[in-house]
Amino acid sequence: MAILYTTKGSATGGRAGHGASENGVLDVTLTVPKELGGDGATGTNPEQLFSVGYSACFLGALKFVAGQAKVKIPEDAKVTATVGIGPRDDGTGFGIEVSLLVDIPGVDRAVAEDLIAKAHIVCPYSHAMRTSTEVPVKLA
């Protein structure tokens, strides 16, 4: 695969800490939700960041396949990713589940469904979730 763009983000403190992109544009306080034992302090968490990233990426993929099909995606089109986290059934850690809700006002339902199916193939987040992409992990 020819990589067209690379970025880096780092976190300190785990789920109750700080996260930032290498260029400093993304700079967030990380907090643990009450549902996971946190105090509900103001901040964000990995699941919220993932949901926004996946939503944006999927909408980008949708616009890409729509452009190929010569279909105009309206400016108010919206993708909402719902991300849940919980213990895996085998007790070996945690897992996530994701669902997407796509709203494309003014586009014929059959056309929209076709574009969504194609975007789900094109979107790298969808591909990673579908194929359980292997992530290399090494010690610095």
Side-chain angles (χ1 to χ4, degrees):
M1 177 173 76
I3 301 298
L4 301 176
Y5 172 74
T6 301
T7 189
K8 294 180 185 175
S10 301
T12 56
R15 287 183 160 272
H18 179 260
S21 59
E22 69 179 340
N23 66 0
V25 172
L26 177 65
D27 191 321
V28 296
T29 298
L30 300 169
T31 60
V32 180
K34 284 185 178 183
E35 298 86 346
L36 295 178
D39 60 9
T42 300
T44 191
N45 60 64
E47 293 72 37
Q48 290 172 333
L49 294 169
F50 186 77
S51 69
V52 171
Y54 198 163
S55 295
C57 189
F58 195 89
L59 186 53
L62 184 65
K63 288 181 176 185
F64 174 78
V65 298
Q68 291 180 322
K70 308 272 191 268
V71 175
K72 172 80 170 107
I73 298 296
E75 289 300 314
D76 59 346
K78 181 178 180 180
V79 175
T80 302
T82 300
V83 177
I85 182 172
R88 291 194 300 255
D89 290 338
D90 64 7
T92 60
F94 291 85
I96 62 171
E97 66 176 29
V98 182
S99 64
L100 300 176
L101 180 64
V102 183
D103 184 19
I104 315 171
V107 175
D108 176 77
R109 185 169 191 85
V111 171
E113 288 174 345
D114 181 59
L115 293 173
I116 289 167
K118 290 175 179 171
H120 198 41
I121 293 168
V122 170
C123 176
Y125 275 67
S126 291
H127 180 75
M129 292 296 296
R130 186 173 46 256
T131 61
S132 299
T133 302
E134 187 63 33
V135 178
V137 178
K138 62 182 179 183
L139 181 63

